[in-house]
Amino acid sequence: MNKTRVRFAPSPTGYLHIGSLRTVLYDYLFAKKSGADFILRVEDTDRKRYVPGSVEKLIESLEWAGLKWDEGIFTQKEIADDRATVTESVSYPGTFEAGEYGPYVQSERLELYRKYAEELVEKGHAYYCFCMPERLEELRNQQSAAKQAPMYDRYCLTDLSQEEINKKLKEECPHVIRLKVPKDEIIEFEDVVRGKVKFNTNTTDDQVLLKSDGFPTYHLAVVVDDHLMNITHVIRGEEWLPSTPKHIILYKALGWEPPKFAHLPLLLNPDKTKLSKRQGDVAVEDYTAKGYLKEAIINFVALLGWNPGDGETQEIFSMEELIEKFDLSRVHKAGAVFDIKKLDWINSEYIKRLSLDELHEKALPFFEKKDFYINAPTERKTDEYLKKVLAIEQERLAKLSEVGESNRFFFQDIDYAKELLKWKESSEEDTKASLQKTKDVLEKISDSDWTRENLQNLLMEAAGEKRGDLLWPLRASLTGEQKSPSPFEVAWVLGKDESLKRIGRAIEK
Ligand code: GLU
C-alpha cells in the first residue's frame, strides 16, 4: 500500500488566514495521528494575487504555530537536520526546498503543467480556446440577462476547424486550454467528512486549465501536483468542494487515481454568514497582536468543526491530546461559528496556566505600547512591580492587550471626588477616622511583612464586623475607582510608601 501523504497547499496572498490555520492544523494532526508524510507546497500561480514577501511570512507563521512538516519548503532553521535533497529556493531567496518530489513551488513547475495540458488536448479531453476577453464578457452579459448560469459556449470547440486552430497556433494567437467537461454525467465521490457527494456535470463550466500567460489555473496545477507528489489525502475548506468534480474529471482524463477528499466546514460569523474581514479579524497575526496566546488560538481553531465526541466535555487540549484524539471522520459537516467569546475564555484559561515569569515576558510588549505605562515613574516599571500587577490580574485577563487597562491606578497618580471615599451612609468624620485607623495598622507592618496574606489578615481583623466601613474608604483611597481588586491586593502591589501616601492624601481630602 502507498504511504499516506497529506499536503498543505497555501497560496501566498499576504497573511495566514484563520481558516488556513485550521486546515494546516488538521493536516498536521491527521499526519501525526496516522504516521503520514506532511508536505508544504506553495501554490503561487495566480500572479495577480501574489504579494511579495508573503511566502516567507507564511512559512514563519507556520513555524510559529509549531506545526512541523516533513517535506516541501522551509526556512534554514527548519532543515538543520541534514536531509538528502536540500536545495536553495530559486524563487524565494532565504528559503529551502527539501524532499524527493520537488520543486514544491508551483511557479517552478510550469513545464509540467503545459505538458499535461497538451496531453489532454491530444487525447480529446481539452481544447484550445482563442476567444478574446471582450467576447467572453459579452457572452456572460447575455447569459446573465437571460438568467442563465455563466458558461463558456464551446465556440472554439465546435466552430473552429483543425486548420483554423493550427493556423492560429502558428500565428501565436493568444489562447488558453480549456477542459472539455463531459455532458450528462454524474460525478460521485466519497468525502471523508461529507459522505457521498454527487455533481451533475451539466452545471460545470469548461474550466480554463492553462492561461494565456502559460500559467496553469489552480485546478490543473493542484491535480498534477497532488498526483505527482503521491498525495493520498486532500484536506481543504468547503469552499473548494464545487471545484472537486472538475478535479475528478481531470484525474479520470489523465488516467490517474484521485486521492481521498476531506472538505472542512465553512467558518461562519455569529450571524451565520461566511467569516469575513468585514465582521472581524481573519489573519492569525491580528489575534496574536491582540494578545491571544498561540496555544489558545490553536486550541480554539481545533474546535472549529471538530470535537472528540461521545459526550466528552473537555475543551482545553494540549497539542499531544489533540494528536491523540483527533479523527478526520469526526469533523462536522455543519458550518463552524467563530465565537470570539469562546476564544476569550480559552485564552483566559491559558493565561491562568502561565507562570508569572512567562506571563511577564508575554505581557511586557503590550505594556510597552500603553501610555499609562510609558509615562509611569520608573519604580512602577520594574519587572518585580509588573509581576505583582500581573499576579493580581492573571485570573481576570481574557487577553494580553488588556493588561493594566482596568487598573491604571497602579501606574498613574489618581484623582477622584472625595465623595467616593464614603461608604454608604457614613459621615465625613467616620470616613476620616476609618482611614486613620487603616493608616495606623499599615504603618506598623514592616516592609518584609508587606505580603498579601498579612495585609488581608491584619486589615480584616481591624475591620471586624463592619467590613465596608473600613475597607471601602481604603480601597477608594488607593485606587480612586468605584471598582477594583481588593484593597489588600492593591496595597500589596503599590507597596507601603505609596499606599500610605495615598491614604494620607485621602485623609486630607
Ligand atoms: N491553494 C489553495 C488555497 O489557497 C489550496 C486548495 C487545496 O488545498 O486544494 O487554499
Side-chain angles (χ1 to χ4, degrees), residues 274-303:
K274 197 175 159 198
L275 187 69
S276 67
K277 253 188 196 169
R278 248 171 297 135
Q279 291 203 29
D281 296 314
V282 292
V284 173
E285 65 206 37
D286 294 334
Y287 290 91
T288 52
K290 286 205 171 133
Y292 292 100
L293 301 175
K294 171 171 83 186
E295 292 74 12
I297 297 174
I298 289 179
N299 191 144
F300 171 70
V301 162
L303 297 175

Side-chain angles (χ1 to χ4, degrees), residues 69-226:
W69 50 102
D70 309 298
E71 208 177 294
I73 181 157
F74 298 82
T75 64
Q76 198 163 10
K77 302 187 267 355
E78 264 301 314
I79 46 166
D81 52 314
D82 50 346
R83 284 163 205 266
T85 56
V86 179
T87 51
E88 201 163 339
S89 161
V90 252
S91 316
Y92 303 107
T95 66
F96 294 78
E97 293 196 30
E100 310 293 327
Y101 296 83
Y104 293 91
V105 169
Q106 287 188 328
S107 59
E108 293 171 24
R109 300 168 66 83
L110 301 184
E111 278 319 304
L112 278 170
Y113 308 127
R114 170 169 294 283
K115 177 182 140 207
Y116 286 108
E118 278 166 3
E119 184 183 318
L120 285 165
V121 176
E122 256 162 59
K123 288 184 176 163
H125 297 301
Y127 58 93
Y128 294 106
C129 173
F130 303 91
C131 288
M132 301 300 280
E134 298 73 34
R135 174 171 192 275
L136 297 174
E137 201 189 320
E138 205 188 304
L139 182 64
R140 265 197 302 273
N141 291 342
Q142 281 168 10
Q143 288 168 332
S144 88
K147 300 222 165 10
Q148 291 164 349
M151 285 253 212
Y152 180 59
D153 63 357
R154 293 198 160 169
Y155 173 79
C156 289
L157 179 67
T158 51
D159 290 39
L160 291 186
S161 68
Q162 193 56 48
E163 281 94 74
E164 281 172 303
I165 295 171
N166 291 344
K167 189 165 165 260
K168 283 182 187 284
L169 286 176
K170 216 164 150 207
E171 286 168 0
E172 293 185 6
C173 293
H175 62 272
V176 302
I177 292 180
R178 283 185 188 270
L179 177 64
K180 186 177 152 196
V181 173
K183 291 290 154 195
D184 300 317
E185 257 186 45
I186 302 290
I187 302 286
E188 197 177 294
F189 64 97
E190 194 65 33
D191 189 280
V192 180
V193 175
R194 317 192 62 82
K196 206 179 272 313
V197 183
K198 284 188 194 177
F199 283 92
N200 186 318
T201 55
N202 289 351
T203 56
T204 307
D205 196 9
D206 280 356
Q207 178 64 51
V208 172
L209 300 175
L210 203 69
K211 294 179 276 187
S212 55
D213 60 2
F215 277 76
T217 56
Y218 156 69
H219 306 282
L220 176 65
V222 79
V223 167
V224 168
D225 287 350
D226 284 341

Side-chain angles (χ1 to χ4, degrees), residues 21-38:
L21 178 64
R22 185 197 49 185
T23 303
V24 67
L25 175 63
Y26 285 15
D27 279 327
Y28 174 81
L29 296 175
F30 172 77
K32 287 283 148 209
K33 179 94 192 220
S34 57
D37 291 339
F38 180 24

